[in-house]
Amino acid sequence: GRCLLVVSLLTLATAAHGSQPMDDLKNSIDDGLRILQDPHYQPADRKALQQQHLRQELYRDFDFAEFSKRVLADQWKLFTDAQHFEFVEVFSRFLAGHYLARLQQRYAGEKVVVRGQEITAPGRAVVKSGVIWMNREFPVEVRMHARSGKWKIYDVSVIGISAVDLILGLGSLHC
């Protein structure tokens, strides 16, 4: 009975946010792939415009504030509100610029599949997906939370390696 109640509450919490995390992720993936595959952006002189459109999609669908908070971990509370804002702005620009440029250079028609979702708490979910490259599927887990009626990404784990954990680990190497 209690299990059924918990599942019901999680389902209602998901429905209250207006969409399912899996659906929002699929839309994000479809939008990004549409931009990457658009022949209009293939000439070298249009790559900057393509990156601009990819960046708009990324900022729409990714919660850089939550990602930054998790990357800074305990250090986050030592920052002022102005420092939080500045860190999020600079960090998000760096990540978007670096990874979008690499994505543009290396994308070669790989497919992305969305396998399912697990609601982990009210307003929190993990969407299981995969990237198919050279006829092999590499598992990807996308952590999302509900913000303003939409599910936003705040961490991505590829073959078991979380982006937050990876950056945290890199940071500890330099401290």
Side-chain angles (χ1 to χ4, degrees), residues 40-155:
H40 175 76
Y41 298 118
Q42 295 316 307
D45 64 336
R46 294 191 182 143
K47 290 297 181 183
L49 182 60
Q50 182 186 46
Q51 189 173 114
Q52 180 184 346
H53 288 151
L54 288 167
R55 185 182 304 263
Q56 288 170 344
E57 297 297 323
L58 184 66
Y59 282 121
R60 179 193 74 192
D61 300 328
F62 201 93
D63 187 342
F64 281 106
E66 183 68 20
F67 184 71
S68 297
K69 188 178 193 178
R70 289 170 181 270
V71 164
L72 287 175
D74 292 341
Q75 301 302 309
W76 181 261
K77 62 185 171 203
L78 302 176
F79 284 38
T80 66
D81 288 343
Q83 289 170 323
H84 289 157
F85 180 80
E86 183 177 1
F87 182 84
V88 171
E89 289 297 309
V90 171
F91 190 50
S92 63
R93 267 187 274 132
F94 165 74
L95 289 173
H98 177 74
Y99 286 105
L100 290 178
R102 292 183 75 174
L103 179 63
Q104 285 176 293
Q105 292 169 353
R106 296 183 178 176
Y107 177 73
E110 291 82 5
K111 304 271 186 262
V112 181
V113 293
V114 178
R115 298 284 181 210
Q117 68 184 27
E118 176 186 349
I119 305 300
T120 57
R124 296 217 178 258
V126 175
V127 178
K128 295 184 185 296
S129 57
V131 174
I132 300 172
W133 178 67
M134 297 182 70
N135 296 320
R136 291 190 61 207
E137 185 172 330
F138 294 87
V140 178
E141 287 188 350
V142 181
R143 287 172 180 42
M144 303 176 80
H145 62 179
R147 288 289 186 260
S148 305
K150 185 173 182 340
W151 289 90
K152 300 271 209 169
I153 302 162
Y154 67 87
D155 192 14

